Amino acid sequence: MRNLFLGAAAMMAIAAPGVAAAQTSYVGADYASTDIDGLGSEDAFGVSGAVELSGHVAIDAGVFDNDGETAWGAAGHLYHNNSSHLVGAFLTVSDSDASTLWGGGVEGQVYMNNVTFAGALSYGRDDDADVDAMGANGEARYFFSDNFRVEGGLGFFNIDTAGGDDNATTFSAGGEYQFAAAPVSVGLGYTRLALDEADVDADTVSATVRWNFGGGTLHDRDHTGAALAGLSGIGSALGL
């Protein structure tokens, strides 16, 4: 079972925390601490950013150091967006010192006044670790004000490794606040990953500070393609 978990962990590339800022563009610093049952803990530090190139195209990327191991990831999004919803598709690639993960899927958002519902269906393949994963995850975001948001998420995934199959469930919660005096936002997040067959849990606590470009409030910017960064890809979805 330990080999199964380690194989699955190879699939979960270090990615921006699930509290991704919802901006037309942003750049910032990220920190995540992950505690894995029976396997110890790891800390990751990095920088990440996102930009909406047009009303239909957005990209996001990040580079991280995970206890001496360097990892990076990037995603491209193509979508249709209007005042009520967004529907699109994405491709992702991430690479660490040990392996490279390719993935893709479909994604969407529904806008309802001060609430946004978001979801993604994802598939990923890591040839180096001989791991496949696919699943679905969703998130609900609630705006107490235009510049203060909280969110909660739930995901279900199937992971196929050389050591066998397993099912994973993720639970997440977080929030973000943007200051009135400057376009700077701070965010906190928590994600729990539970593997059924391996009977192993991983808890990740994350924090982010971002400089946001493009003007407007967090609520305004939540309706842009840069808000897709938190759910795209198996690695982001699993919170590691």
Side-chain angles (χ1 to χ4, degrees), residues 5-95:
F5 181 81
L6 292 175
M11 196 69 175
M12 305 165 197
I14 295 295
V19 292
Q23 308 294 334
T24 54
S25 302
Y26 66 81
V27 63
D30 304 289
Y31 167 77
S33 177
T34 300
D35 182 66
I36 305 169
D37 285 351
L39 297 176
S41 61
E42 295 183 344
D43 295 316
F45 300 86
V47 294
S48 62
V51 59
E52 185 174 64
L53 300 177
S54 71
H56 302 286
V57 179
I59 58 174
D60 52 80
V63 179
F64 301 87
D65 180 80
N66 178 31
D67 284 349
E69 181 178 14
T70 301
W72 63 268
H77 310 264
L78 180 65
Y79 49 86
H80 170 75
N81 196 12
N82 59 33
S83 60
S84 64
H85 66 276
L86 177 153
V87 178
F90 62 89
L91 293 174
T92 65
V93 58
S94 57
D95 184 82

Side-chain angles (χ1 to χ4, degrees), residues 167-203:
N167 294 314
T169 304
T170 63
F171 306 91
S172 63
E176 183 186 8
Y177 175 77
Q178 179 169 291
F179 299 100
V184 175
S185 63
V186 293
L188 293 173
Y190 167 78
T191 300
R192 164 159 281 221
L193 164 67
L195 287 172
D196 293 342
E197 295 297 326
D199 193 24
V200 176
D201 297 329
D203 296 288

Side-chain angles (χ1 to χ4, degrees), residues 150-174:
V150 297
E151 65 256 349
L154 180 64
F156 302 94
F157 302 89
N158 178 262
I159 304 168
D160 183 5
T161 77
D165 292 350
D166 207 338
N167 294 314
T169 304
T170 63
F171 306 91
S172 63

Side-chain angles (χ1 to χ4, degrees), residues 13 79 95 131 139 145 196 206 227 239:
Y79 49 86
D95 184 82
V131 179
E139 185 175 75
S145 69
D196 293 342
S206 58

